[in-house]
Amino acid sequence: DLLGDSSHVMATPTALMNFDVVLYLMEFLSQDRASLSSVMKVCRAYHSLGIPILLRSQVVISTPNSLRSFRDFMLAGPYSEGHPGRFQHLHHFESVATEEFLDDMPQKEEASLLSDILSHARWLQRLRLLFSRNTENYCEVFSSLIDLSYLRALWVCILG
């Protein structure tokens, strides 16, 4: 052994990055969601830092499972009546109801999930909703739009 007895070798601490540097790097990666997601998996602190950056870009939901998962993810944060949690960072949201929605999710469940999201997302600035079926069960979704005081652009498209 060239280094002698390795039991006396002390491990050197890993380099720590300044908070501002990590935040800057995450902002830089905001255009590449896959890279940002990889950085967020490093540790809990990076995960917490990345959530607002990730939500600041446009969120597009196009499958029933992603709609359920997104609603659960948003509500899993530190949300309460006095604290908006993750919803304060959601500015651009798009729900595209594809044929998969017709096959895999009852219309009332879709309306309920969308209503849950929109009723908490008071800071939305742009909203795009694409429905592939009639909208008679979406009254609660449309009524939740009233409280979106920061909304600057709204697209609603009903196909068929």
Side-chain angles (χ1 to χ4, degrees):
D1 187 9
L2 293 174
L3 296 175
D5 184 12
S6 62
S7 63
H8 294 95
V9 177
M10 295 181 58
T12 58
T14 57
L16 297 177
M17 276 200 253
N18 186 312
F19 174 80
D20 294 337
V21 173
V22 173
L23 195 56
Y24 177 77
L25 289 173
M26 288 186 158
E27 290 283 351
F28 180 76
L29 292 173
S30 67
Q31 302 304 316
D32 181 9
R33 289 184 149 207
S35 296
L36 179 59
S37 178
S38 294
V39 170
M40 289 173 63
K41 293 175 185 175
V42 170
C43 67
R44 288 182 186 208
Y46 287 9
H47 184 265
S48 295
L49 281 174
I51 288 174
I53 296 167
L54 194 59
L55 290 175
R56 212 173 300 139
S57 61
Q58 184 174 6
V59 175
V60 179
I61 303 296
S62 60
T63 66
N65 284 337
S66 60
L67 183 61
R68 286 184 196 103
S69 296
F70 182 71
R71 192 272 318 257
D72 294 345
F73 167 77
M74 294 300 286
L75 290 174
Y79 182 81
S80 67
E81 285 304 315
H83 190 277
R86 294 175 176 166
F87 285 101
Q88 66 184 326
H89 305 291
L90 182 63
H91 295 262
H92 311 288
F93 181 73
E94 181 173 342
S95 177
V96 181
T98 59
E99 290 299 316
E100 191 175 345
F101 271 91
L102 290 172
D103 298 335
D104 295 344
M105 179 178 278
Q107 191 175 15
K108 287 186 179 187
E109 182 184 2
E110 178 189 2
S112 176
L113 291 169
L114 282 171
S115 180
D116 272 355
I117 292 167
L118 295 177
S119 66
H120 294 96
R122 288 172 266 176
W123 296 266
L124 268 179
Q125 295 173 7
R126 289 188 316 169
L127 174 62
R128 180 181 290 234
L129 299 172
L130 177 64
F131 300 108
S132 58
R133 44 191 162 189
N134 68 34
T135 58
E136 64 190 34
N137 289 318
Y138 294 95
C139 292
E140 61 184 304
V141 172
F142 295 122
S143 65
S144 63
L145 298 177
I146 295 169
D147 295 327
L148 301 178
S149 58
Y150 292 99
L151 196 63
R152 289 181 172 74
L154 172 64
W155 296 273
V156 177
C157 183
I158 303 163
L159 302 176

